Amino acid sequence: VRGTNLGNTLQFSSSADNSAVYGLAIINTSNGGAIVLDAGADGVTIQGNYLGLRTDGTTMSGNSYGVLVNSANNIIGGTTATERNVISGNANSGVDIRDSAATRNQVLGNFIGTDATGQTALANGRDGVAISNAPANVVGGTAPGAANLIAFNGGDGVSVAGFSTRNDNAIRA
């Protein structure tokens, strides 16, 4: 999906609860996010996508952001290779979780800042994962396959900032 001249390529609103995005390559969204989950778009599953890469998994055609999250109970990635997203080559953060409505989200098993093999640097311009003023989110996990590979990004691997981020966010291997 080419997002040229779009504000956001896929934008989910409050009526999009429990939606899913599987197996897409979303590229060239220069003014917004490849996938945006607005407040109230809860329970969305995002798995098996290339966000900022072409379908070959190695050629960058970045978006402004990979995934922007302002809603709750979403799953980005998973514990198997087929559920893994590759989120790389975007101008800003790969995954940006922001504001108080963005709670209990999970970022699991993704490659963020690399190609689909996990071997080649394809940096996001800012943080791999940014959590800002959003409580009770989880990046990674202890289950087999839940750890993210986050590398080579222009900012932090995982950034946690803001007053309400002090509450129960977990960054795990």
Side-chain angles (χ1 to χ4, degrees), residues 73-168:
N73 300 310
N74 302 295
I75 299 171
I76 302 166
T79 58
T80 68
T82 58
E83 294 172 332
R84 170 187 309 135
N85 297 294
V86 182
I87 306 170
S88 302
N90 299 293
N92 292 294
S93 297
V95 177
D96 193 315
I97 301 170
R98 57 171 86 160
D99 299 327
S100 61
T103 184
R104 297 178 312 280
N105 295 291
Q106 299 177 62
V107 180
L108 307 169
N110 300 291
F111 286 0
I112 302 174
T114 72
D115 70 348
T117 69
Q119 300 297 310
T120 302
L122 298 176
N124 291 293
R126 299 194 68 194
D127 304 319
V129 177
I131 302 172
S132 177
N133 293 312
N137 296 285
V138 176
V139 177
T142 57
N148 296 286
L149 173 60
I150 303 172
F152 309 115
N153 295 288
D156 296 321
V158 178
S159 170
V160 180
F163 180 76
S164 62
T165 54
R166 299 181 310 170
N167 299 321
D168 300 321

Side-chain angles (χ1 to χ4, degrees), residues 11-19 36-44 70-72 74 101:
Q11 185 166 3
F12 294 84
S13 65
S14 61
S15 60
D17 287 355
N18 303 311
S19 295
V36 177
L37 307 178
D38 288 334
D42 300 331
V44 176
N70 190 17
S71 59
N74 302 295

